[in-house]
Amino acid sequence: MATAHLRIGDLVWGKLGRYPPWPGKVVSPPKDLKKPRGKKCHFVKFFGTEDHAWIKVEQLKPYHAHKEEMIKINKGKRFQQAVDAVEDFLKKAKGKEPVRPRSTTRHAARHVTRYIDLVKDDPHFHHFLLSQCEKPASSMEPISKRLKIVEEDSGSTSIQAADSTAISGSITPTDKRIGFLGLGLMGSGIVSNLLKMGHVVTVWNRTAEKCDLFIQEGARLGRTPAEVASTCDITFSCVSGPKAARDLVMGPSGVLQGIRPGRCYVEMSTVDPETITELSRVITSRGGRFLEAPVAGSQQLSNDGMLVILSAGDRTVYEDCSSCFQAMGKTSFFLGEAGNAARMMLILNMVQGSFMATIAEGLTLAQATGQSQQTFLDILCQGQMASTFVDQKCQNILQGNFKPDYYLKHIQKDLRLAISMGDMANHPTPMAAAANEVYKRAKALDQSDNDMSAVYRAYIH
């Protein structure tokens, strides 16, 4: 792919290794990310994905000149969505300049953007994704969260946001005071994005030191969950499981002691429906309003503001949380009465956990039968099961990198809760039960605090 001279802001088609040419935009790289030595390349941000990469000039083509050619040779829903995102970007570029988020000037020097650290070597390209880089807000492009409300046949509602890397725009933050309890892998990214989009946020965490970074970013500090709930209009919680969620509400200095009539409580933890029912009952008994909103995704997606949010409970709270959900996620669904989101979340994580265990089993079987694990992955990524999830998790396994993106102990907890839910519904879950045993074996090998992909080690020990 030969290319003409390109400049910052030019739209291009970029070739990423074994993937088809993809639409992107030439952008300025962060200061901390150096250009690969001896390679003439441009830093490109790809539409419809979270990818940013150095792409060699011979792997780039101008967008407009080759648009018809690329559309003819490339098919697929994701590709079409990426092209649509480019066209929307072009339409928007013809209009007025986007308004900067309210918090940008106030906290510009303190904003932090985190990216995946992933380096791939391929004969056709040198692909670097950003790695835990601090990036000043002045160098960021505004993040778009243009939404549309979709009513589905099931009666559920989804709020869908366009890809944040694709379209310039901004979020108008709610004027309600936001509280956030729990700054773990998921909560930290969520709070960071709430602050970036101009929300007024009060934070609390069991380990108080975790609050320091967010205080520097402009957050306020809450001394107890009760204090946060009493001073904030909407309080979110994102903790490790059912017991932690109950303790946060009903324990000493818990939310229940601070909740006031009309105040909102949003439970984002992945828990069982029974826990949600109990929390909803006690919150509403004090005049509070309750919503459950567990999130599908990983630490990286949380950092990128690209989570999928499953909500159920008080519909008016869901609507009040609109700007918050836009800041933290790409899509938000409303699923009806409280408990439905917990059920759906457990089913999703049951499938994901079982799939991860099967992928690990395939990699180890390939090795045991003398087959190349890398070739297995290359073939897998060319077929119908190809996905960013498969590629990243397998690459982590092959590199021995099990830094947590989603804790193994948490996916095992979700499998256990899903199996229990199946028992209550008298519905068989044999695949999940088998996967659960493998994760339990991995936990016995001290893999609990590693990434879920560390289930691989259960097959080799």
Side-chain angles (χ1 to χ4, degrees):
M1 295 176 69
T3 182
H5 177 69
L6 296 172
R7 297 175 298 179
I8 299 297
D10 284 351
L11 298 178
V12 295
W13 297 97
K15 184 77 170 65
L16 277 173
R18 56 182 175 268
Y19 298 102
W22 205 263
K25 180 182 177 184
V26 178
V27 297
S28 298
K31 295 179 181 178
D32 294 341
L33 195 67
K34 296 181 180 179
K35 183 181 294 187
R37 290 183 179 180
K39 298 180 183 295
K40 189 174 181 181
C41 51
H42 293 284
F43 195 72
V44 176
K45 181 167 62 176
F46 290 94
F47 289 84
T49 77
E50 291 86 58
D51 282 355
H52 305 66
W54 286 110
I55 305 296
K56 294 198 298 184
V57 293
E58 58 263 36
Q59 302 296 331
L60 293 169
K61 284 185 176 182
Y63 177 80
H64 295 288
H66 297 272
K67 175 182 173 182
E68 292 186 5
E69 169 194 348
M70 295 303 174
I71 291 177
K72 286 181 181 179
I73 64 174
N74 295 311
K75 304 295 180 182
K77 184 177 179 180
R78 288 190 62 204
F79 177 81
Q80 186 57 54
Q81 288 173 341
V83 174
D84 291 343
V86 179
E87 298 304 313
D88 286 343
F89 170 81
L90 290 171
K91 291 178 183 177
K92 199 170 186 69
K94 293 179 180 179
K96 63 180 181 179
E97 289 295 314
V99 179
R100 294 176 66 84
R102 198 168 64 185
S103 68
T104 299
T105 55
R106 184 173 54 183
H107 304 300
R110 300 175 184 146
H111 284 161
V112 178
T113 296
R114 301 174 177 89
Y115 295 88
I116 289 179
D117 180 13
L118 180 61
V119 179
K120 296 181 180 177
D121 291 312
D122 186 280
H124 301 293
F125 77 110
H126 202 146
H127 179 201
F128 288 89
L129 296 185
L130 302 181
S131 167
Q132 299 294 325
C133 299
E134 291 193 356
K135 185 177 181 183
S138 59
S139 66
M140 293 182 191
E141 293 193 1
I143 296 177
S144 167
K145 296 289 180 180
R146 187 187 60 180
L147 302 186
K148 56 181 179 180
I149 306 296
V150 180
E151 293 286 349
E152 299 179 346
D153 293 339
S154 63
S156 67
T157 302
S158 67
I159 298 179
Q160 298 180 333
D163 182 82
S164 61
T165 64
I167 306 173
S168 296
S170 64
I171 295 171
T172 302
T174 179
D175 58 3
K176 297 182 183 298
R177 294 164 296 180
I178 304 300
F180 205 96
L181 312 174
L183 299 173
L185 290 184
M186 306 298 281
S188 293
I190 290 172
V191 170
S192 181
N193 282 309
L194 288 172
L195 290 169
K196 287 173 186 175
M197 293 299 105
H199 296 84
V200 177
V201 185
T202 300
V203 296
W204 176 90
N205 191 72
R206 185 175 58 181
T207 305
E209 291 76 13
K210 286 190 176 181
C211 297
D212 293 346
L213 173 63
F214 301 100
I215 301 305
Q216 295 172 18
E217 294 272 326
R220 302 171 182 178
L221 179 64
R223 291 176 296 179
T224 65
E227 180 184 281
V228 174
S230 67
T231 58
C232 294
D233 301 299
I234 304 173
T235 299
F236 293 89
S237 165
C238 188
V239 291
S240 59
K243 183 181 185 304
R246 287 191 175 98
D247 289 347
L248 202 58
V249 173
M250 294 175 282
S253 300
V255 169
L256 202 57
Q257 296 182 20
I259 203 75
R260 301 285 184 271
R263 296 288 168 81
C264 305
Y265 188 67
V266 183
E267 182 56 78
M268 303 194 79
S269 313
T270 300
V271 299
D272 54 282
E274 292 71 33
T275 296
I276 291 298
T277 299
E278 182 179 4
L279 295 180
S280 176
R281 177 180 57 79
V282 298
I283 292 295
T284 55
S285 71
R286 297 291 179 91
R289 299 155 62 202
F290 181 83
L291 184 76
E292 59 168 330
V295 293
S298 61
Q299 181 186 30
Q300 185 61 44
L301 293 176
S302 176
N303 292 342
D304 292 342
M306 296 296 286
L307 295 168
V308 175
I309 303 155
L310 310 182
S311 302
D314 190 325
R315 177 61 181 263
T316 62
V317 180
Y318 175 70
E319 293 168 351
D320 286 344
C321 291
S322 177
S323 74
C324 297
F325 289 162
Q326 292 174 51
M328 66 181 74
K330 66 176 180 179
T331 308
S332 175
F333 291 86
F334 183 77
L335 303 176
E337 66 180 20
N340 282 345
R343 295 181 183 94
M344 187 68 80
M345 190 74 254
L346 289 177
I347 294 168
L348 288 170
N349 282 358
M350 178 190 75
V351 171
Q352 180 175 251
S354 300
F355 183 50
M356 183 70 253
T358 301
I359 293 295
E361 188 172 298
L363 281 168
T364 52
L365 181 59
Q367 185 178 46
T369 57
Q371 304 305 303
S372 165
Q373 291 181 319
Q374 183 62 58
T375 301
F376 167 73
L377 173 57
D378 291 342
I379 296 171
L380 195 63
C381 287
Q382 290 294 324
Q384 292 179 317
M385 289 189 292
S387 67
T388 302
F389 175 82
V390 169
D391 191 22
Q392 290 180 350
K393 294 302 183 186
C394 288
Q395 291 290 356
N396 287 348
I397 289 173
L398 296 184
Q399 295 166 12
N401 173 21
F402 297 107
K403 180 181 178 181
D405 196 39
Y406 194 97
Y407 284 118
L408 184 143
K409 62 185 176 184
H410 289 169
I411 200 69
Q412 190 273 321
K413 174 261 298 182
D414 297 343
L415 281 165
R416 173 173 53 81
L417 294 177
I419 293 166
S420 177
M421 187 171 69
D423 288 343
M424 295 182 68
N426 196 31
H427 184 82
T429 53
M431 300 298 104
N436 188 45
E437 294 302 315
V438 183
Y439 283 97
K440 286 162 62 177
R441 167 64 176 162
K443 286 178 65 177
L445 294 169
D446 295 325
Q447 301 302 310
S448 291
D449 292 324
N450 283 333
D451 186 68
M452 62 184 293
S453 55
V455 68
Y456 173 85
R457 289 178 169 166
Y459 290 98
I460 60 176
H461 289 281

